[in-house]
Amino acid sequence: MQNVLRLDDPLPQSQALKSAGCVEIHEEQASGGNRARPVLARVLERIGKGDTLVVVRIDRLARSLSHLLEVIERLEAKGAFFRSLMDPIDTSSPQGKFTLQVLGAAAEFERALIRERTKAGLASARTKGRVGGNPGLRARDPAALRKVRLARQDGYMGRLNETAQDWVPHVRRLRPDLAWEDVLRIVNGPLPRERQWTQSRLLRAVNAYVRDGFLPPTVLDRAGRRETDDRLPAIVAAIKGADPDITLQAICTRLEAMRERTPRGRTSWQPSSVKMLLERAERLGLLA
């Protein structure tokens, strides 16, 4: 089993990870409280079935329970595991899975408490004759409206930044060469159902990133017409381009998750078919 690892403070943590038998160590300079970390994003993209993501302590990976559970869900969706050397979490063992379930229940309980306290506070304010909300908004004050609009925009961009590693690399690499329908299928291929995108949501996110300069405007250009026979090689080349080390069998699994039919109309993909399409993609200049 291959261990895929990351850490924030290099020297002492790398020694601990090596002692634990880890064979790959990735250094991340960004804070554990920042979800938009490029090294972590690359590791989560590369990690495969049977791999284990190892950290010295869970606060090296995440500073909130919700983020920790989100990362572990992504690993589980890929058939990978998570282990913390100094905490009782090892998702490859029954005890570790039980600890994870307890953490998930605690997070849900915390959210329920916050909801109940908010409802109680609002009810108490109403009994005292206080009306909730922003007075400036009730008066339709332009400055107050603009402030709320900017806050909502900042909140939306913050949520997009948390998921950027799922879709930005694909959009940057594939558009406008592939149609949005195909890009969406490639983006959603490795994602669990609850985190998959709709085309309208993806387009809104891309427009926001183009507006703020995070993506070039050319990604919104109209996709060029592509010969029917070239569509599958383009899709396979896109999957290979996102992960150069991906195996033929893994590409088969991705194509089946996308419900992409084989060139002969079957639903079951074989490595030989993928190899043939990759060779055609190379002849068409679709592979870097």
Side-chain angles (χ1 to χ4, degrees), residues 182-222:
D182 291 328
V183 174
L184 180 68
R185 288 150 69 88
I186 292 170
V187 168
N188 284 336
L191 299 179
R193 184 175 297 276
E194 64 273 10
R195 290 181 50 212
Q196 291 187 354
W197 295 75
T198 63
Q199 188 167 323
S200 59
R201 283 184 58 229
L202 182 60
L203 284 172
R204 183 188 175 200
V206 171
N207 274 283
Y209 263 46
V210 169
R211 182 194 62 222
D212 285 2
F214 297 133
L215 283 170
T218 52
V219 300
L220 295 173
D221 290 348
R222 182 182 295 273

Side-chain angles (χ1 to χ4, degrees), residues 83-217:
R83 179 188 174 197
S84 173
L85 299 181
M86 299 184 66
D87 302 288
I89 301 180
D90 183 348
T91 60
S92 65
S93 69
Q95 295 87 349
K97 289 182 179 179
F98 175 74
T99 301
L100 189 60
Q101 291 172 349
V102 172
L103 289 175
E108 181 57 35
F109 179 64
E110 182 182 13
R111 288 191 291 267
L113 284 179
I114 292 173
R115 287 195 297 268
E116 290 303 316
R117 288 169 183 165
T118 301
K119 290 178 182 178
L122 292 173
S124 175
R126 282 194 294 269
T127 61
K128 296 176 182 178
R130 295 200 298 269
V131 180
N134 188 316
L137 294 180
R138 293 199 300 271
R140 310 299 295 175
D141 177 64
L145 291 172
R146 181 175 181 274
K147 186 175 181 179
V148 169
R149 186 171 62 253
L150 291 175
R152 287 176 177 171
Q153 181 177 321
D154 288 344
Y156 175 63
M157 293 302 293
R159 293 191 297 274
L160 285 187
N161 292 340
E162 293 175 3
T163 62
Q165 70 273 8
D166 293 338
W167 56 276
V168 169
H170 295 297
V171 170
R172 190 187 301 275
R173 190 180 65 258
L174 303 179
R175 288 290 303 165
D177 294 330
L178 284 186
W180 283 112
E181 293 84 356
D182 291 328
V183 174
L184 180 68
R185 288 150 69 88
I186 292 170
V187 168
N188 284 336
L191 299 179
R193 184 175 297 276
E194 64 273 10
R195 290 181 50 212
Q196 291 187 354
W197 295 75
T198 63
Q199 188 167 323
S200 59
R201 283 184 58 229
L202 182 60
L203 284 172
R204 183 188 175 200
V206 171
N207 274 283
Y209 263 46
V210 169
R211 182 194 62 222
D212 285 2
F214 297 133
L215 283 170

Side-chain angles (χ1 to χ4, degrees), residues 67-84:
H67 186 213
L68 173 64
L69 295 174
E70 176 186 319
V71 171
I72 294 176
E73 285 176 1
R74 289 192 62 185
L75 294 172
E76 289 183 338
K78 289 191 166 190
F81 305 103
F82 172 75
R83 179 188 174 197
S84 173

